[in-house]
Amino acid sequence: MPQTVAPSPLIATMVAAARLGGDIARRHFSACGQAKVDEKAARDYVTAADVAVEAAIAAALAEAYPDWSINGEEKAGDRDHGPDAPRFLIDPIDGTTNFAWGIPFFGVVIALLRGDRIDAGVVYDPMRDELFHAERGHGAFLDGVRLRVRDDRDIDHAVIGASLPIPGQVKSMNVARYREILMEVMDHAATMRRMGSAALSIAYVAASRHDAFFEDGLSPHDYAASVLIVEEAGGLVGGFDGGAIPKTGAVLAATPAVHPWLVERFRG
């Protein structure tokens, strides 16, 4: 049986905060999709649960690290201690559309940044009670068990996660070309999946449940924690072209075996 590894005090605090938020999300969740939904923008939803989860997480993190900044997607409990302070990013419910429609696949996400460097990340699936975490230089873990990406599946045997973007979401390339790439992947991969939570879908690459995942128009709140988890598990993460993730939020996470094939399509 794989040995579990005890987390650092920082990770333990982030994990406790994520679990607290997950408990609140579960209490709000209705499998019949009865959540009251507000639109922040077209097809961009927020529920009362998003705000409640974020406020609870922010309060827990502020109590443990009163001099560190907090930036949440819903701005519930934000604190700014200046550009030099470590900064927590919170996405209280990544996959709000799933949550609001009663689909039990969404994540509670916390990342710690020092400057632009992601130093720690936690992604919690409250419905399956699964918790991914990573701390820079210390590996990636799922429920305390170390993760390493598989590197023995080529594109013909790969499960690829991808976004089916809403209008205006594709910002890093021509929309028609993006759709062509989706079709190319469908024609070559073993199968494709669109799960509805970018944070969990990227973390699934670290767990070898996905061999790759790509989506455009993401924010660091969505991807920062999972990017570190994949990197610490030996995967590759960057923009569609294989470079750094651009400000437009194009994220491609993949195993070393599949990454070059996908980058070639995006560059072409």
Side-chain angles (χ1 to χ4, degrees):
M1 230 178 128
Q3 286 189 333
T4 59
V5 177
S8 70
L10 169 62
I11 289 293
T13 298
M14 294 171 67
V15 164
R19 289 191 181 279
L20 172 65
D23 288 344
I24 296 169
R26 272 196 304 270
R27 291 200 297 271
H28 280 259
F29 179 77
S30 168
C32 298
Q34 299 298 315
K36 183 180 180 300
V37 181
D38 295 316
E39 279 193 273
K40 295 186 285 186
R43 305 185 192 183
D44 185 8
Y45 304 109
V46 62
T47 69
D50 290 88
V51 177
V53 170
E54 184 173 299
I57 291 172
L61 295 175
E63 182 177 2
Y65 297 98
D67 298 324
W68 293 9
S69 296
I70 296 173
N71 177 241
E73 199 166 63
E74 310 305 334
K75 310 301 179 189
D78 278 12
R79 306 160 64 95
D80 185 359
H81 290 287
D84 295 329
R87 182 170 83 261
F88 287 110
L89 299 183
I90 305 169
D91 188 347
I93 299 178
D94 183 72
T96 296
T97 303
N98 279 356
F99 178 90
W101 267 255
I103 300 169
F105 189 83
F106 51 89
V108 177
V109 187
I110 308 172
L112 174 70
L113 276 66
R114 290 184 172 92
D116 293 328
R117 187 182 69 194
I118 310 163
D119 276 353
V122 169
V123 179
Y124 179 48
D125 179 346
M127 302 307 288
R128 301 191 70 218
D129 192 26
E130 287 191 332
L131 193 138
F132 299 84
H133 84 260
E135 192 167 4
R136 182 165 295 280
H138 295 280
F141 300 85
L142 170 55
D143 293 334
V145 178
R146 188 179 293 273
L147 296 173
R148 293 298 300 176
V149 298
R150 288 184 59 164
D151 198 19
D152 59 350
R153 290 192 293 237
D154 59 15
I155 189 65
D156 294 328
H157 302 91
V159 174
I160 308 295
S163 164
L164 302 179
I166 62 174
Q169 184 180 353
V170 177
K171 304 172 183 177
S172 306
M173 64 186 305
N174 180 275
V175 176
R177 179 56 189 151
Y178 184 92
R179 291 172 177 164
E180 289 175 358
I181 291 168
L182 286 175
M183 295 303 298
E184 287 184 56
V185 175
M186 288 172 64
D187 288 342
H188 287 85
T191 189
M192 288 189 73
R193 292 289 181 266
R194 202 283 195 203
M195 309 291 280
S197 165
L200 283 173
S201 295
I202 296 170
Y204 273 25
V205 176
S208 298
R209 295 172 179 174
H210 283 154
D211 296 283
F213 174 81
F214 59 89
E215 183 166 357
D216 203 357
L218 295 175
S219 79
H221 295 80
D222 304 318
Y223 67 73
S226 297
V227 161
L228 183 63
I229 291 166
V230 171
E231 290 176 341
E232 288 289 321
L236 302 172
V237 190
F240 292 164
D241 62 357
I245 296 171
K247 291 189 187 223
T248 49
V251 177
L252 168 60
T255 66
V258 171
H259 187 263
W261 189 94
L262 288 166
V263 168
E264 182 180 350
R265 266 71 197 164
F266 281 110
R267 284 179 176 170

